[in-house]
Amino acid sequence: RTASIPDEAGFGHDPTHDRPHQIAMPSILITGASAGVGRATAVRFLDAGWQVALLARRGEALASIAAGRANAL
């Protein structure tokens, strides 16, 4: 199973470009993930099944996003 980028991100999954060596869980790094647009983006990608590396100055806010999500780093 492969995950696709959420539609709201402005990109779509193109099945004509599928390859056997595709990453099973795509990854993304999001800075400013503790609030605002960064947080909303992180949540969107986490909910879509992506592995998300979260970066921000406020660690406690990141912990609340990552709680209970195996795909949050």
Side-chain angles (χ1 to χ4, degrees):
R1 167 183 164 322
T2 58
S4 61
I5 298 172
D7 293 337
E8 290 78 9
F11 302 99
H13 178 71
D14 184 354
T16 63
H17 290 104
D18 284 346
R19 293 182 177 86
H21 61 278
Q22 247 180 342
I23 298 171
M25 183 183 288
S27 303
I28 190 168
L29 170 83
I30 298 177
T31 60
S34 63
V37 173
R39 182 184 181 104
T41 302
V43 169
R44 174 79 62 183
F45 277 90
L46 286 165
D47 289 346
W50 283 57
Q51 185 169 353
V52 181
L54 305 167
L55 296 176
R57 290 178 289 177
R58 299 181 330 181
E60 64 280 353
L62 290 181
S64 71
I65 297 168
R69 297 176 186 260
N71 57 331
L73 305 174

